[in-house]
Amino acid sequence: MEPFYRVTGPAAPLARDNVDTDVIIRIERLAELDRNALGSYAFEALRYRADGSEDPDFILNQVAYRDAPVLLAGENFGCGSSREGAVWALAGCGIRCVIAKSFGGIFANNCYQNGVLPIALSGDCVDALTVRTLDSAGAAFTVDLDAKTIEPPGGEPITFSIDGLRRRALLAGLDDLGLTLQITDAIGSFQQRDRIARPWIWQRSLLPNTSGNKR
């Protein structure tokens, strides 16, 4: 997983509430495409017209925000289906951080597992950032995970909160499996102690073997 330390670039304002994962990426795209090909289909229903051409009114199609690494969103972003592919699609189109008023819980967890930083801020704060990015025509924001700050163009830094373990994992580029593999020695030591303390837990099944296979 690519580590997240600091990202600088425009913040694209997607002023919508309840953007669900089916809007972020359609389910049939997950069935037919490799995860590395999903980026161009992110927000497909909003991004393209019926004839396949880009809708110039959609924020990520506008020149100032086309390559934005930060997305500003409304309430309950990433609700709906638990599909991890929604985060793959966002990452595939270059988004490394989503700042929203609130998130779908599973979506936020999937962000952490794929190197995307979800930041929940108050509605007033997100609205103020949206006004600032529109007034500045896509001037760069800086999101610094190490310092836990958002630096908007022409404004004072905003501090955000994040679970300490989540922060360390993103800085190191580790998902939950990667974090677990860092403590394999401790896991092994626990298993050795537990085999002595509770040997019955580690015995093979005493039920009859009816499959015909050797245990």
Side-chain angles (χ1 to χ4, degrees):
M1 189 173 82
E2 183 180 356
F4 188 109
Y5 184 79
R6 167 187 270 230
V7 65
T8 298
L14 184 64
R16 292 171 177 258
D17 294 335
N18 302 311
V19 174
D20 64 32
T21 52
D22 193 56
V23 171
I24 298 172
I25 189 69
R26 287 163 45 183
I27 191 65
E28 60 266 34
R29 299 305 183 193
L30 299 180
E32 65 192 17
L33 296 172
D34 181 85
R35 64 179 288 179
N36 295 321
L38 295 175
S40 60
Y41 294 95
F43 301 110
E44 183 176 356
L46 304 175
R47 199 169 172 181
Y48 302 109
R49 294 168 167 161
D51 63 1
S53 62
E54 289 188 349
D55 183 344
D57 292 331
F58 183 59
I59 196 69
L60 291 177
N61 291 336
Q62 297 175 18
V63 173
Y65 304 103
R66 183 175 289 274
D67 298 316
V70 179
L71 185 70
L72 296 173
E75 298 278 2
N76 203 27
F77 185 81
C79 57
S81 163
S82 61
R83 67 191 68 165
E84 190 175 13
V87 181
W88 298 346
L90 291 178
C93 69
I95 294 172
R96 296 296 316 280
C97 175
V98 182
I99 302 170
K101 299 177 182 180
S102 63
F103 291 96
I106 295 176
F107 172 84
N109 184 64
N110 286 336
C111 284
Y112 290 121
Q113 301 306 311
N114 290 277
V116 175
L117 173 61
I119 300 174
L121 297 177
S122 70
D124 288 345
C125 191
V126 174
D127 290 342
L129 290 175
T130 297
V131 170
R132 188 171 293 279
T133 189
L134 290 171
D135 287 347
S136 65
F141 281 60
T142 294
V143 179
D144 190 323
L145 179 57
D146 189 43
K148 296 188 290 186
T149 59
I150 301 165
E151 300 172 26
E156 292 296 320
I158 297 167
T159 300
F160 63 89
S161 61
I162 181 174
D163 175 81
L165 183 60
R166 294 293 197 190
R167 175 174 168 271
R168 291 195 298 274
L170 282 171
L171 288 169
L174 297 172
D175 58 13
D176 284 352
L177 179 58
L179 287 172
T180 302
L181 291 175
Q182 287 195 319
I183 57 171
T184 52
D185 289 345
I187 293 171
S189 295
F190 165 79
Q191 290 175 333
Q192 288 180 344
R193 294 193 305 271
D194 200 52
R195 285 179 186 273
I196 297 171
R198 302 187 303 164
W200 62 90
I201 296 295
W202 298 88
Q203 292 179 1
R204 294 193 177 190
S205 173
L206 299 179
L207 295 175
N209 181 9
T210 59
S211 66
N213 298 323
K214 293 183 179 179
R215 292 186 182 276

